[in-house]
Amino acid sequence: MIKRRHLIAGNWKMNLDVKESVKLVESIAPHIADLDEVDVLIAPPFTSLGAVNNAIGNSGIKLGAQNMHWEMNGAYTGEISGPMLKEAGCTHVILGHSERRILFKETDDLIDLKVKAAVVQGLIPILCIGETLEERENGKTFDVIKNQLDNSLLYLRKNNAGMPVSTILAYEPVWAIGTGRTASGEQAQEVHHFIRKWIKEEFNDETAARVRILYGGSVNPDNVADLMSQPDIDGGLVGGASLKADLFIKIMHFQNKLL
Ligand code: 13P
């Protein structure tokens, strides 16, 4: 059986100036060495990427961006491209976060273009999907998830090479983001299992066994162990708690709580 390494990723959203960003990385970095089979990634705002990349040094922390445009360059005022992110040191990019879908009207079609660009340009996409509270209460969770997967991974579904096994998916129920209301391990597992089954059907067993599926939405030191003990949950995409070194370090060390 293929064992997937857990990934604990911090999405800093629109928080922290350069000085604060560097301070936070410097607090986290010394705690990476004692992790066992757990990867750590942080996604700071664009303005902090360069300084954070320097501060990461050879600690092993991975660097991601929170969004990107699908073109390499051009007249797209206010946008950032994949090659620019790579130059700043990024290996990963978060795409289709619900805040981008809802507040900035990003559609599955746009997200599909971005996923394609990331893969073609050599960045690992972290594709976010998730239902709203209304959709959950109306029993639409699985339809919404399937729809988002079908449409934002359209390019990869049609691509002869399939989906790179390094691709990361993140299930983030919108009702659990920034609300302090977390999906229970069981609730999240049900959706993660559904997502893995979808990957298996659309691609193949090997891809389904290797692709990591993160959970995001009010992850904190108290609920992380329950979530990470689920068979199809391979890590966390952490918002608020990733801005506080002590909380994020505890989350990274979720295995201590499994003992
Ligand atoms: P919170 O952890 O603040 O709920 O945010 C989750 C999130 O949106 C991560 O991408």
Side-chain angles (χ1 to χ4, degrees):
M1 213 180 93
I2 291 165
K3 195 171 180 303
R4 294 178 296 273
R5 287 170 69 89
H6 279 87
L7 170 65
I8 300 295
N11 174 8
W12 293 2
K13 308 191 179 183
M14 196 174 73
N15 293 294
L16 308 185
D17 62 24
V18 174
K19 219 165 136 193
E20 292 164 336
S21 300
V22 169
K23 192 162 167 244
L24 182 51
V25 185
E26 286 174 350
S27 311
I28 297 167
H31 299 273
I32 301 291
D34 53 341
L35 291 175
D36 186 25
E37 301 282 309
V38 178
D39 295 325
V40 174
L41 176 145
I42 48 179
F46 293 134
T47 47
S48 291
L49 286 174
V52 165
N53 188 39
N54 287 339
I56 283 175
N58 53 14
S59 64
I61 299 176
K62 296 180 194 326
L63 186 63
Q66 300 173 18
N67 183 29
M68 66 177 257
H69 195 272
W70 57 89
E71 293 290 350
M72 309 272 279
N73 47 45
Y76 299 102
T77 302
E79 293 291 322
I80 304 267
S81 73
M84 292 169 185
L85 296 181
K86 284 173 73 178
E87 189 185 29
C90 292
T91 48
H92 293 66
V93 58
I94 297 172
L95 296 174
H97 191 282
S98 61
E99 285 150 16
R100 302 241 25 115
R101 291 175 186 265
I102 296 166
L103 302 172
F104 301 99
K105 313 282 179 260
E106 281 195 17
T107 59
D108 284 326
D109 291 355
L110 287 191
I111 297 161
D112 181 47
L113 287 173
K114 294 182 180 202
V115 171
K116 174 182 178 184
V119 170
V120 169
Q121 293 163 21
L123 282 160
I124 298 173
I126 303 175
L127 172 70
C128 302
I129 48 176
E131 82 287 1
T132 62
L133 185 58
E134 196 190 348
E135 288 162 344
R136 174 162 281 262
E137 285 175 345
N138 289 328
K140 298 231 158 59
T141 299
F142 295 110
D143 290 345
V144 170
I145 298 292
K146 178 172 165 29
N147 219 22
Q148 289 176 340
L149 289 169
D150 280 349
N151 296 316
S152 38
L153 293 175
L154 202 58
Y155 164 75
L156 292 185
R157 289 169 57 218
K158 311 244 169 242
N159 180 20
N160 284 338
M163 169 152 72
V165 293
S166 57
T167 305
I168 296 167
L169 302 182
Y171 169 56
E172 298 208 313
V174 178
W175 48 271
I177 296 178
T179 57
R181 193 176 156 185
T182 329
S184 66
E186 220 170 285
Q187 266 177 327
Q189 166 59 24
E190 196 186 16
V191 180
H192 281 236
H193 177 73
F194 176 84
I195 297 169
R196 204 173 300 287
K197 200 163 127 267
W198 180 91
I199 302 173
K200 201 169 169 167
E201 284 162 10
E202 288 295 327
F203 299 94
N204 52 49
D205 289 5
E206 160 95 12
T207 308
R210 287 193 186 276
V211 164
R212 293 188 282 187
I213 310 173
L214 314 183
Y215 167 81
S218 297
V219 174
N220 63 44
D222 294 328
N223 59 29
V224 66
D226 174 38
L227 289 160
M228 295 309 125
S229 65
Q230 303 296 327
D232 289 300
I233 301 186
D234 309 312
L237 186 51
V238 188
S242 72
L243 297 171
K244 300 256 183 318
D246 57 334
L247 298 184
F248 194 62
I249 291 164
K250 281 190 188 150
I251 292 172
M252 279 158 37
H253 289 84
F254 68 90
Q255 282 165 329
N256 297 355
K257 283 210 147 195
L258 290 176
L259 299 175

